[in-house]
Amino acid sequence: MSAKENKELKAMIRQAKPDDYPEMDELFRLSATRLCCNAYTEEQLEGWAGCPRPERFMENQSKGYQQYFLTLENQIIAFGILDIANSKLMALFVHPDFSGRKVGENMTQFLLQQAKDKNLNVLALDSSLNAVKFYKRHGFSETGRSVFTTQNGTSLAPVQMTKNLR
Ligand SMILES: CC(C)(COP(=O)(O)OP(=O)(O)OC[C@H]1O[C@@H](n2cnc3c(N)ncnc32)[C@H](O)[C@@H]1OP(=O)(O)O)[C@@H](O)C(=O)NCCC(=O)NCCS
């Protein structure tokens, strides 16, 4: 994408509202099952993203997380979630039909800027195994392994990463 197109993409990022949660949930499930399928078994993906659960975003809202999404022609093509209080990037998902077109890069730059604007010194995240290289390209370093147990009891063992923002 050109610099102009990237700028236009960032201009379409909005803070999510409850009406947006069902579409965000569909995107999450599609993105997890199609873009993470090389890193996880079918059973792990089923436990993680098998069932619709838009209320996960309502729970995020009540925890004070900032939830942003990016639209293109009225379709949500990516979302990202920040927990500013705990200096953490909680989620970043791109619709599989738009993957590899710098949408994730644009969302990451936007989320990093939000974190800097809130005067955070570091940003941490738990990366799915498939996205570790992506985050390394954006300056995050591995710090360890985390534990994440899915709905069916399978574990995803995400990679803990941090980036210095100063
Ligand atoms: C990881 C993810 C956010 C990347 O978004 P994207 O829009 O597909 O990526 P971009 O087009 O912005 O990628 C930019 C660059 O990173 C590379 N890249 C993207 N995904 C990558 C991956 N999984 N591993 C290595 N490199 C990757 C691209 O090839 C591209 O490289 P280039 O500049 O040399 O062409 C997206 O693939 C996704 O939503 N994955 C599933 C959910 C997930 O794992 N989320 C993150 C963990 S919570």
Side-chain angles (χ1 to χ4, degrees):
M1 273 189 204
S2 67
K4 183 170 173 276
E5 284 169 324
N6 281 336
K7 203 172 162 199
E8 283 168 3
L9 265 189
K10 286 207 191 81
M12 289 178 283
I13 297 174
R14 303 269 179 272
Q15 197 133 18
K17 296 189 289 298
D19 281 356
D20 306 309
Y21 297 164
E23 194 178 344
M24 287 165 70
D25 191 55
E26 267 178 48
L27 187 157
F28 157 67
R29 297 177 58 229
L30 264 183
S31 179
T33 46
R34 280 179 41 196
L35 298 177
C36 306
C37 62
N38 291 334
Y40 298 107
T41 64
E42 272 183 33
E43 193 189 4
Q44 285 173 310
L45 293 173
E46 176 61 30
W48 186 26
C51 296
R53 217 172 70 78
E55 56 273 25
R56 71 182 97 230
F57 298 99
M58 194 59 88
E59 291 158 13
N60 291 341
Q61 185 193 21
S62 46
K63 288 179 196 157
Y65 297 174
Q66 300 198 349
Q67 307 188 95
Y68 299 97
F69 66 89
L70 196 161
T71 54
L72 195 61
E73 292 166 3
N74 290 326
Q75 181 188 357
I76 296 180
I77 61 167
F79 71 82
I81 302 176
L82 286 172
D83 176 4
I84 294 293
N86 292 301
S87 301
K88 200 153 178 193
L89 196 167
M90 300 302 293
L92 171 64
F93 287 86
V94 172
H95 192 293
D97 293 349
F98 295 87
S99 174
R101 291 165 59 177
K102 308 278 183 192
V103 172
E105 187 170 309
N106 275 284
M107 277 306 281
T108 305
Q109 286 168 358
F110 172 85
L111 295 166
L112 287 170
Q113 192 56 51
Q114 293 297 310
K116 285 180 192 164
D117 291 349
K118 297 281 192 277
N119 296 318
L120 299 189
N121 293 321
V122 289
L123 194 63
L125 58 85
D126 288 345
S127 174
S128 48
L129 301 180
N130 50 285
V132 172
K133 276 192 204 152
F134 172 84
Y135 286 124
K136 279 188 179 165
R137 289 167 59 102
H138 291 283
F140 286 84
S141 309
E142 286 188 43
T143 54
R145 275 300 178 98
S146 180
V147 178
F148 179 78
T149 306
T150 72
Q151 301 279 335
N152 66 6
T154 51
S155 173
L156 300 186
V159 177
Q160 293 175 321
M161 304 184 83
T162 61
K163 178 182 167 80
N164 205 324
L165 302 181
R166 297 289 156 211

